[in-house]
Amino acid sequence: MILLGIRRHPTEQVANDIGVDIMKAEIPSGETFTTFLESTSIAFTTAEVQWLKQLALTEQAATEALFQLWALKEAYVKALGVGIGFDMSRISFDSQTSVLSVDGKILDRWSCHSFRIHSSIAGEDVPGYLGAVCYRLGEEEPGSSGTVTQLPYTEIRRQLSIIEPSVLLEQMQSLLSYVDGQ
């Protein structure tokens, strides 16, 4: 699944510094939650690993939390435009307060949201996908205290003009038909 997020800035045509990420909340075949967490722990802080281990009593909840956290960090890194070389353990999510910080500093002037994707491709529901979006706020927009909010996918789509591949294909086919008819 691919999502393309475009955010309109109040005073500019398109806002900069936006990152969107989606993850399928599924532990790879042949792994357990514990072994997968161990192999990916380099991306998480000690507190995050402890929180995920506590959630492991219900493996589905722990798996979803792990992938939601990963998607959140990936979205932030993508918004920065620095790629996978960024040490994701520098990004810390406080599970008690839902606050995101980097190098111990709460994100200021950023908006971060996590969401579940409810969509359909080829007529079938696509459960188990989680996503996150992070974007830098403009100077005139209300500030943020680094709090990550959980939003319904419909609200994320409305705010960010997220376009799903099936919709994009339909729009491209319509445009090509129109151009061919000219």
Side-chain angles (χ1 to χ4, degrees), residues 36-80:
F36 186 70
L37 179 59
E38 288 171 6
S39 68
T40 60
S41 64
I42 192 168
F44 303 111
T45 65
T46 303
E48 291 166 342
V49 170
Q50 291 305 316
W51 174 60
L52 291 168
K53 284 181 179 178
Q54 288 173 355
L55 290 176
L57 296 173
T58 28
E59 191 165 313
Q60 184 60 34
T63 299
E64 288 185 6
L66 183 145
F67 284 103
Q68 190 70 73
L69 182 56
W70 193 305
L72 186 62
K73 290 183 176 203
E74 286 276 350
Y76 176 72
V77 169
K78 287 176 181 179
L80 292 178

Side-chain angles (χ1 to χ4, degrees), residues 8-178:
R8 297 246 176 241
H9 190 278
T11 59
E12 300 173 22
Q13 286 201 329
V14 178
N16 296 324
D17 302 331
I18 182 172
V20 178
D21 194 59
I22 56 172
M23 304 287 297
K24 180 158 178 71
E26 184 176 273
I27 302 297
S29 176
E31 296 244 23
T32 66
F33 175 80
T34 305
T35 60
F36 186 70
L37 179 59
E38 288 171 6
S39 68
T40 60
S41 64
I42 192 168
F44 303 111
T45 65
T46 303
E48 291 166 342
V49 170
Q50 291 305 316
W51 174 60
L52 291 168
K53 284 181 179 178
Q54 288 173 355
L55 290 176
L57 296 173
T58 28
E59 191 165 313
Q60 184 60 34
T63 299
E64 288 185 6
L66 183 145
F67 284 103
Q68 190 70 73
L69 182 56
W70 193 305
L72 186 62
K73 290 183 176 203
E74 286 276 350
Y76 176 72
V77 169
K78 287 176 181 179
L80 292 178
V82 295
I84 61 172
F86 191 89
D87 179 4
M88 290 205 308
S89 68
R90 293 174 51 199
I91 307 167
S92 176
F93 176 74
D94 184 326
S95 62
Q96 301 298 313
T97 61
S98 294
V99 170
L100 197 64
S101 59
V102 178
D103 297 331
K105 296 176 186 165
I106 293 174
L107 287 183
D108 187 37
R109 315 258 353 113
W110 283 85
S111 186
C112 298
H113 308 284
S114 57
F115 53 92
R116 293 178 171 281
I117 297 175
H118 300 288
S119 178
S120 63
I121 295 175
E124 295 182 24
D125 286 340
V126 183
Y129 283 89
L130 306 168
V133 61
C134 291
Y135 54 88
R136 190 182 309 268
L137 296 169
E139 291 300 318
E140 68 286 340
E141 293 180 276
S144 171
S145 61
T147 303
V148 177
T149 59
Q150 181 81 28
L151 289 179
Y153 182 56
T154 53
E155 180 64 15
I156 293 289
R157 287 185 64 186
R158 188 189 66 74
Q159 285 187 16
L160 299 178
S161 303
I162 288 177
I163 303 168
E164 296 178 31
S166 59
V167 174
L168 185 59
L169 276 173
E170 288 173 14
Q171 291 176 348
M172 289 176 68
Q173 288 171 341
S174 294
L175 179 61
L176 289 173
S177 295
Y178 174 78

